[in-house]
Amino acid sequence: MANDSRESADAPQVAKRILLGEPLSTEKANEQLLPKRMALPIFASDALSSVAYGPQEMLMTLGLGGLAFLAFAPWVAAAVVLLLIVIVLSYRKLIQAYPSGGGDYEVASKNLGEIPGVVVAAALLVDYILTVSVSIASGVDNIISAVPQLDPWRVELAVGFVILIVVVNLRGVREASTFFAVPTYIFIGSVAVMIVTGLVRTFLGDAPVAESAQYSFQHTDQLVGAAMILLVLRAFSSGCSALTGVEAVSNGVQAFRIPKIGNAQTTLAMMGGIAILLFTGLTALGLITQVHYAENPCRDLVGYACGQPQQSLMAQVASATFGAGSLPFFIIQAATACVLLLAANTAFNGFPLLGAVLARDGYAPKALNTRGDRLVFSNGMIVLGIAAIGVLVLFQANLTNLIQLYIIGVFVSFSLGQVGMVRHWRRLLRAAHGQNAEVAAQARRSAYTGLVINSLGASLTIAVLLIVTVTKFTHGAWMVFIAIPVLALLMMGVKRYYRDVEHEIAIDDTTHFGSEGDVAIVLVNRLQKPVVKAIDYAIAARHEKTVALHVAANPEDGVQLQRDWQQHRIPIPLVIVESPFRAYAQPVEAYIKKYRAKHGPAVVTVYLPQYIVGHWWESILHNRRARRMANQLMLIHGVTITLVPWLLDSSELIYGRRSRPVPGQQRAGRPLALYGEANAKPARRVQRPAGPPERG
Amino acid sequence: MANDSRESADAPQVAKRILLGEPLSTEKANEQLLPKRMALPIFASDALSSVAYGPQEMLMTLGLGGLAFLAFAPWVAAAVVLLLIVIVLSYRKLIQAYPSGGGDYEVASKNLGEIPGVVVAAALLVDYILTVSVSIASGVDNIISAVPQLDPWRVELAVGFVILIVVVNLRGVREASTFFAVPTYIFIGSVAVMIVTGLVRTFLGDAPVAESAQYSFQHTDQLVGAAMILLVLRAFSSGCSALTGVEAVSNGVQAFRIPKIGNAQTTLAMMGGIAILLFTGLTALGLITQVHYAENPCRDLVGYACGQPQQSLMAQVASATFGAGSLPFFIIQAATACVLLLAANTAFNGFPLLGAVLARDGYAPKALNTRGDRLVFSNGMIVLGIAAIGVLVLFQANLTNLIQLYIIGVFVSFSLGQVGMVRHWRRLLRAAHGQNAEVAAQARRSAYTGLVINSLGASLTIAVLLIVTVTKFTHGAWMVFIAIPVLALLMMGVKRYYRDVEHEIAIDDTTHFGSEGDVAIVLVNRLQKPVVKAIDYAIAARHEKTVALHVAANPEDGVQLQRDWQQHRIPIPLVIVESPFRAYAQPVEAYIKKYRAKHGPAVVTVYLPQYIVGHWWESILHNRRARRMANQLMLIHGVTITLVPWLLDSSELIYGRRSRPVPGQQRAGRPLALYGEANAKPARRVQRPAGPPERG
């Protein structure tokens, strides 16, 4: 991609520099490592920001069953918190065992085999895309809660934010983290203040009341038995969206400063603690303020005025606590929107890293493992950005619909990762026998703790995966169950392809030297400087035989060329072949075959003049015939293509000024001979008589 | 473009063959010429079909002034008919004088100079785009008149039809004409029958009455004086849209069978006659049946039920004459829709031809003068298709808005063309002196007739241009008045660019032979078969000096390569240069500079292995580093790039079958030496000891 653009200078290049900053050397990679205070906002913004929609979607789902169901909310929230604790503990063990940053993918592929590993990778890729989509959709939701006039531009806003985040991330990790740290900390602080304020007011008997408390839920059929349980489980599934993002840290251990493992584990624990506080606090305030939030307020709420957008739970709680339109309300909404939009950033760290790991292992195109100018995996970021925009447009940035697809992927990878960890510890336990007694005992203790924690983690995450699948499948999650295997199969195919290519191009016993013969063919259209330069270079390379070949789609051109040829006494013979079908490669091939039939096998070098233009728009004005010719001629057996560049300077004639000089660039004015600034030789015209043109 | 695709076979290629048919040879161009009965529908579908919207928009505009203004309709229609007669006569003279197909562009540039010629060309290009847009919008209108359920898909339908017409036209002229002849003749026949039926019924006292006769126009302020005149003139401007398409014949004379001029003139006269009959007939029926057609029926018609799409004038007249939902109604609607959609075809003949003429003269990119596989100017058609889709989407396929932009371009070119013709005849009159008396007299008579006719044409078309400009400018025509000069300036810039390039690459006294030195550098990444092949070819070309160069972005790779180099006893020295910035071209350039400083100037040939893949998707999986490298290295002074192709066969490994063999394609299994089927040599491994690797 971008990593080798430094040799040419161009308008797009300049724009790129301004957007992305100057390129960085590979050695700088270490200086880009993150301290904990920076790593927390980068890796935790996803997990933390999800409290902005987790409690909301959980309460909304319970509300579908009517007001009475809100009584289940504390229990559902407790289950989510319990799960979060177990997952955080499990991932601390995972980081300890696999600090290389491969996360669940590495764990699953090392302990369970190739296919589970690839499935985990596919699941994670899908969920990264959905993380961006859900976070941005929720962020835009919160913006619209504060500024309802923006409602008509919901999708446009969402797409615009994705593009903004892609550009910011292409600038590299460090700038990104500074950019993200501030709003994340403001978010944590302001929401914490809100929770404390709300609880203190409640304690003092002045409990805040949300505006939507006045609306009651539409009377629905009384749910009983299985339907009741299913609804509670659906609420739990929605609440679990607050759990996503935990795995981000395990995938990014290598981005931490030394000691990487310890720092990553600490960050993970801090993140878990903050997430639990915010989640429980916000759920509590939602219940205290009696926020009545509905999927379709027009239909589900009695007394709701249709046409206006429904405020998010966060906005309603903030309004109730601090007063609608108050300064704290706007601060909280701004911080929430920021942190949600930036939560997408977690994915823009995780997705390209995972993509690079997959590319390294041969499961993804190698271009994903190419660092850009700014040392980030630019291609992965661009792919993620495009995919997220696609999803947002498809779902019209509707949060409730997107949530249905979300967290399936996360729990697929959670489960397989945890199962893999269980295997890992069991293997370690077996291996711990027959060593030095004390060391073995300690290793066994550690492995045993890991086994217990990760077994618990595995059972819980598998159970949740089942619940999430059952409750969300028909609401859209089926799409994810199609996407994951399709992606996994594609990755297996890519792996197989690379393996086949490697095998095909590996040196083996049939590899040998010994090509013979050496013919140069200079393709000539009209006799102009670029062609003369190509002829000159072909002569300089002193091939065994050098001829000029003209493919005459139009007979008159051939006649004219012959005249020019003799007039200018070009020192190599000219061959003219006809081409009634306006094909160019076929007549050349026929000529080569005839030549070989007469003179024996020979390596053929075809010289093609190639225009190099200074501006992108100039390429519209040229046929690019040289490139197309090259592509076709390369299919002929035993042919190589030599491109002789000719730099066009016309741009400066049009603009009346010289374009910015590029180091090492050829000067068009001195196309022939003369390399090195001090080696200008006096011009001389070769006076050798030209041979009569052959007929091909 | 497409004209040289025959050497490779591929899935997209096969799809292209199915869509476009087999390629045609240049000689076949003559067999594609059109007899009159085919030329009429092709060149006249625009002019004839415009009666489907001309009378409608004329009556609608008059209706804006209230019911009383419809009394002006016959007079306005008479003015349009008169104008049409004058224009047809004028163009018969133009065809006689300039039969080469350049039309107004040629006349203006030859008689008035470069700038008027370019302006005419720009105006025509704009109007070709609008012809497509207006015709398609009106066609979709008539389809929706018959099938109102399609109303929500108006824009999608329009875009779909443009794409369909592009594909049909890419197949070539002859198929297109067969495709278009039938509906055009059905249209002429069925509308004629309708007019006769309607007039006979009126004559028998059973005048048909349109459904919309029940609605009266909203009362508007009584227009007096200038405002009244302006409205009548606006109606006249709208009616003049029926005049477009006359110039199509003059631009397409070369597509007629011999005698080209006579056939073209006859076709033009036939077209004019039919157009006048249909236009007057339909206007008369519109008045008789009391069709009340309004720009915004919801607002302008009393009693109109909003929400339903308004039927076109053609549909209302057909309903009134034959009964709503009757078979003749549907035949007329189908034929009208067909002929309108196909009228766009006139532009798909004219635009690419004009584009090719402009490209030949250097005013447009040369790619517009490249015939595709099927002998049509494919690129021009694709450009026109994209532009028309853009306009249709921008204006949401709204006919009344599009009409405001239309015919400005046509009348600009009409006027300049006629003025040019006046100059032409005056020059001939002057030249006719002093020759053989009888011949001179005859020439003078002919020139004199031409002068009279074209002077009349010039005055009338200039007058109409002024009327059209005044009445339409604020309604959207200003966009055309921006587009035409911008296009004209672009064309002048292109001309200047090509002239500068021609001048720059022309052989002059500084052109000389005499490059010296001959160094080959084989770029090596890892030691695999493609690299070995490149080394082998470099050795076969017996350069003065041949070295292998490895750019080590990663030091370990360099060490590994050195080991492989010695192990496989590669017979050329290996140079390793480091690259901390992951740049590839810069270190190569530095090496070349150092070499030249030490050994004197030399032409440098850089050998690059290049993968050739069998499927488009394979290119996603390769970095295309070779191409990017080539682009950068070509900027280094005195460097040529030799691409050594390596055909990847992995596709067959994945699919378990061999892809379709392409004639002359290289076999991957025998990459080295061995050209010609009978020249397989026994494999031998070169045993010369390798020199110690140099350090760069």
Side-chain angles (χ1 to χ4, degrees), chain A residues 431-572:
Chain A
H433 288 286
Q435 288 180 7
N436 171 301
E438 201 185 334
V439 173
Q442 205 192 334
R444 232 182 308 169
R445 253 198 316 278
S446 161
Y448 208 78
T449 329
L451 183 60
V452 170
I453 291 178
N454 289 129
S455 298
L456 183 63
S459 341
L460 275 185
T461 50
I462 290 174
V464 173
L465 177 59
L466 288 176
I467 292 173
V468 171
T469 306
V470 168
T471 55
K472 290 185 164 187
F473 194 83
T474 53
H475 292 84
W478 57 270
M479 288 184 244
V480 177
F481 281 98
I482 291 172
I484 291 176
V486 166
L487 249 182
L489 282 175
L490 271 178
M491 290 197 277
M492 309 276 284
V494 168
K495 171 83 168 182
R496 196 170 157 185
Y497 176 84
Y498 280 133
R499 197 196 52 211
D500 290 345
V501 169
E502 275 293 307
H503 181 256
E504 188 183 329
I505 63 176
I507 293 189
D508 56 29
D509 287 346
T510 70
T511 311
H512 62 277
F513 292 97
S515 291
E516 274 170 21
D518 174 24
V519 180
I521 297 176
V522 186
L523 286 188
V524 176
N525 191 23
R526 286 158 61 198
L527 196 56
Q528 290 167 318
K529 278 184 184 170
V531 163
V532 174
K533 181 180 176 188
I535 295 171
D536 187 47
Y537 278 26
I539 294 172
R542 290 173 311 168
H543 296 273
E544 244 170 54
K545 181 178 171 72
T546 305
V547 297
L549 188 66
H550 173 73
V551 179
N554 184 346
E556 295 97 64
D557 291 350
V559 176
Q560 176 61 39
L561 181 62
Q562 245 176 60
R563 266 200 301 274
D564 289 347
W565 208 258
Q566 280 163 331
Q567 187 198 329
H568 289 279
R569 300 167 189 255
I570 305 298
I572 61 169

Side-chain angles (χ1 to χ4, degrees), chain B residues 175-257:
Chain B
E175 280 86 346
S177 96
T178 325
F179 196 87
F180 294 131
V182 177
T184 305
Y185 283 122
I186 291 181
F187 172 76
I188 297 173
S190 62
V191 175
V193 168
M194 176 175 79
I195 291 170
V196 171
T197 310
L199 292 179
V200 168
R201 276 183 58 182
T202 310
F203 189 75
L204 295 177
D206 174 30
V209 178
E211 207 195 324
S212 63
Q214 54 178 303
Y215 314 129
S216 56
F217 287 103
Q218 286 280 13
H219 177 75
T220 49
D221 298 334
Q222 204 61 38
L223 293 175
V224 284
M228 192 170 112
I229 294 170
L230 201 67
L231 191 72
V232 173
L233 289 179
R234 260 187 74 193
F236 171 71
S237 296
S238 293
C240 283
S241 56
L243 295 175
T244 59
V246 173
E247 81 290 355
V249 175
S250 75
N251 290 326
V253 179
Q254 289 306 315
F256 281 86
R257 286 224 180 123

